[in-house]
Structures are given as C-alpha cells and as structure tokens.
Amino acid sequence: MARFARTLLASICTVLFLWSGIVAGLTSTLQQVTNFGSNPTNAGMFVYKPTTVKTNPAVIVAIHYCGGSAQAYFTGSPYASLADTFGFIVIYPSSPPRSTTCWDVSSKATLTHNGGGDSNGIANMVAYAISTYKADASRIFVTGTSSGAMMTNVLVATYPELWRAASAYSGVAAGCFVSSSGAVDAWNSSCAQGQVSQTSAQWASVVRNMFPGYTGPYPPIQEYHGTADTTLFPNNLNEEIKEWSGIFGYNAGAPTQGYTKSIYGPNLQAISAQGVGHTVPIQGNEDMKWFGFVAGGAAPPPSTTTGISTTSPSMTTSTSTSAPATTTTTTPPSTGEAAHWDQCGGTGWTGATSCVAPFTCTALNPFFFQCL
Ligand SMILES: *[C@@H]1O[C@H](CO)[C@@H](O)[C@H](O)[C@H]1NC(C)=O
C-alpha cells in the first residue's frame, strides 16, 4: 500500500512537473546582452538560448513590430519554443529609445551597409553571437513582423552576406520607407498606402546602392502579406516581389490570391493571405521548413544569379495551397551531382538530377526538386 502510494505520488509529481513545464513552456529565459559591440543607435540585444542549444547553433534574428519590444516578440512569437525543439539561438533586437518603438528604416544611415544606423547595430549582434556562442555563420536567419519585416528587407539589402535566408511578415520593400529629408524613423505615407510603384530594375538598384561594391549573392527571402492590410497596403507585396525579382533575375508578377504561395524561383516566395489584415500571423512551422530545420521546402543556399531571366512569365492563378502559382528556373545548369540543398529537378530543369550522398532528390512541387 505504501509502495502504491509512493508510486502514485511519484506519478502525480511527474504529471505536475510536466504540466508546469508546459505552462512555463520554455527551457530557458530571455537574457539581455549589453556591450555586444558597436551599437550606434543604442538598440537592445536580448537572447534566448535554450538549455537544449546545439553546438555551433543556428541563429534566428526575430524583429518586433512598432509598439512591440524584444520581450513582447519573445512571448508573442513561436521562435523561443521552436528553439527548444531545434536547438537554435534566437536574438530579439529591441528598438532604440525613441518616441515610437518602430525601427528606423528611413534614414541614409540605416539604409547603408555599416552606415551607423539600426541595421548596423543588429548586424553587430549577429557578429557577437557568432564569436561568443560559436554560432554557425552559415545558418543565420532573419525574420520579423511589420516594422520588423521592413527591417528584415532592409537587413537583406544592407547585409546580404550575413543571412542564409529571410522571412518577412507584412513589411515593405527595402528602401520604400525612405525619408526624402533623411529623417530617422520617419513614417512614409505614400509607401504605407501602396502608392509607391517602381520597376524591378529600379528596386534592384535601390537595393544595390545600400551596399555599393557588393557582388556576392543575396539570400532567399519569403514575403508574407495580407490582402486586407490597411496599415501597409497590399501593393507593398508587389513592390517586394519586384524588388527581389530584380535582384535574382526572376520575372515579377502579381501573387496569386488566397493563402497561397507564389514561387518566383528558388530564392523568392510570396505568400498572399486572402482577407488577412495587418499583420499576417507568424507561420512558425513554415519558417522551420524555409530555414531548413525540418524537411519540406528549404531555401537553397544563397547563390549568385546572372541577371534578368529570359524565360517568359508563366503566371497562373491558383487558390490551392498546394499548387505553386508560378516559377521561373534561373539556376544555371550544373553537371555531376547536386550538393545538399541544391536544385535537382523540376519543370525546365537541365542541371544535375542526382544528389551527392547521402541526400535524396525530393520533389517539393512540380517545378522544384531539391537535394534533402
Ligand atoms: C517615401 O518613399 C518614396 C520611395 O519609396 C520616396 O520617393 C518619397 O520621397 C518618400 N516620402 C517622403 C515624404 O519622404
């Protein structure tokens, strides 16, 4: 009887322990890091390092919205919990003390590589994480919501060499929010209201001017946007598509409607969320696929593209979540065996169709097969 009681008590304690773990939810806590390096605008650096952190961990930089904070994004986004599962580190930058908690995506400083703006401070947080946590420099990701999504686009433009891939929830094209007077953290109504429209070539030069002389690759990016967004109007998704299509040499076109993904090429996907306002809820599981933590649609490694694609756009409309709307294959044909993450098949693919061991050529959709 006593043994039974002890066993029962142990079981109850186990259940309570697990239950409290679920309530607390996380294996570790959010910590502020001061003195992470040059911090020209006095942004905050907060880090979530799970107890289950891997050796040479990947890092996700998760950037909050206007009115938010590192703490709010820590509790209000899935990345800390996903970090417990996958063993990566999350950096939550916190915007500098200003009248709003928006990020500066309008000044010349922030829109320039090593220009001394907010983007520079965030890049230095990454450098700190690589040296202090021995993070894997080839697996640094960036994501954010609203103002954080604008900053994500800006960071891809100003620090393309840092990122393995990016995802942005309800932002605008890098440089769209620019202030004509150079003001820091300025609101740009014409951009917000979707009245700014530029060609792919114009946007590409906006991006390239943020890091003059850079000739390396730009990272793959996913852009989410709601069709009913009245804060950052839905046309901003079109401008983001044109911007990165210009960089990758893809054919831009309107994204399909529905909660559907339009694939412009391996490096650019746009997800238009039908009827969703500002902002699109974070799709943590989709981010884990895109960032390659789980199988099923990982971004390819950044690779140099050769310019505007000569294939004609093949945009079709789809309301299915499984059928991609379009793709143009611009990856140069390769010979031999494709490496891990490389494309290995799909409509129009003329490169290698077998993968180096131990990877398998996996059809992600009719247009894109990848070595996974
Ligand atoms: C808003 O941004 C556009 C570029 O996207 C720029 O042409 C315009 O001058 C900006 N407006 C203000 C008031 O700075």
Side-chain angles (χ1 to χ4, degrees):
M1 187 59 200
R3 199 167 119 200
F4 172 73
R6 268 205 309 277
T7 308
L8 184 66
L9 188 64
S11 303
I12 291 168
C13 286
T14 304
V15 168
L16 285 175
F17 175 75
L18 288 176
W19 182 72
S20 67
I22 290 162
V23 169
L26 298 171
T27 64
S28 188
T29 55
L30 189 65
Q31 303 287 339
Q32 181 163 17
V33 175
T34 51
N35 301 323
F36 56 83
S38 168
N39 185 12
T41 61
N42 201 19
M45 176 180 184
F46 291 80
V47 172
Y48 182 74
K49 190 177 174 193
T51 56
T52 52
V53 70
K54 296 237 162 90
T55 311
N56 303 127
V59 173
I60 294 182
V61 177
I63 310 175
H64 68 74
Y65 43 88
C66 279
S69 62
Q71 289 83 354
Y73 212 50
F74 167 65
T75 55
S77 71
Y79 300 111
S81 163
L82 292 166
D84 280 350
T85 304
F86 296 106
F88 57 79
I89 286 174
V90 191
I91 297 175
Y92 299 93
S94 197
S95 61
R98 296 193 185 107
S99 57
T100 68
T101 65
C102 300
W103 291 97
D104 173 24
V105 288
S106 62
S107 72
K108 179 78 178 160
T110 203
L111 297 176
T112 303
H113 178 81
N114 289 345
D118 289 1
S119 59
N120 201 161
I122 295 174
N124 291 345
M125 296 177 199
V126 171
Y128 174 91
I130 292 169
S131 71
T132 307
Y133 310 131
K134 306 286 175 265
D136 180 351
S138 69
R139 293 176 74 215
I140 312 289
F141 304 93
V142 60
T143 186
T145 294
S146 189
S147 181
M150 297 189 199
M151 180 51 92
T152 297
N153 278 280
V154 167
L155 284 165
V156 169
T158 51
Y159 292 91
E161 78 285 13
L162 276 188
W163 317 108
R164 171 66 178 73
S167 73
Y169 291 89
S170 310
V172 302
C176 188
F177 239 61
V178 66
S179 163
S180 54
S181 65
V184 171
D185 189 18
W187 186 261
N188 184 312
S189 299
S190 51
C191 177
Q193 291 171 14
Q195 291 155 2
V196 172
S197 178
Q198 303 203 63
T199 64
S200 281
Q202 287 169 330
W203 278 127
S205 73
V206 167
V207 168
R208 292 191 194 286
N209 286 340
M210 293 188 202
F211 191 177
Y214 179 73
T215 55
Y218 285 78
I221 185 164
Q222 271 183 337
E223 303 278 11
Y224 286 84
H225 217 100
T227 63
D229 191 331
T230 53
T231 304
L232 301 174
F233 281 47
N235 181 55
N236 282 300
L237 182 58
N238 296 327
E239 302 310 308
E240 290 171 317
I241 291 164
K242 283 188 279 178
E243 178 166 81
W244 299 112
S245 290
I247 287 292
F248 295 125
Y250 301 157
N251 293 296
T256 53
Q257 304 297 296
Y259 219 105
T260 52
K261 188 183 286 181
S262 300
I263 300 176
Y264 294 86
N267 295 332
L268 177 62
Q269 302 185 350
I271 297 91
S272 176
Q274 182 70 43
V276 176
H278 188 69
T279 60
V280 176
I282 294 170
Q283 313 291 304
N285 293 337
E286 291 302 309
D287 285 338
M288 291 304 98
K289 288 183 202 165
W290 179 241
F291 294 164
F293 290 96
V294 297
S303 64
T304 310
T305 45
T306 49
I308 300 298
S309 163
T310 53
T311 53
S312 57
S314 55
M315 180 63 70
T316 55
T317 302
S318 168
T319 52
S320 156
T321 52
S322 58
T326 184
T327 184
T328 53
T329 302
T330 54
T331 311
S334 57
T335 53
E337 291 183 310
H340 191 199
W341 309 115
D342 280 359
Q343 183 168 6
C344 54
T347 308
W349 177 248
T350 56
T353 54
S354 60
C355 301
V356 294
F359 304 105
T360 308
C361 189
T362 308
L364 301 179
N365 58 57
F367 312 102
F368 190 61
F369 297 9
Q370 196 177 18
C371 291
L372 298 173

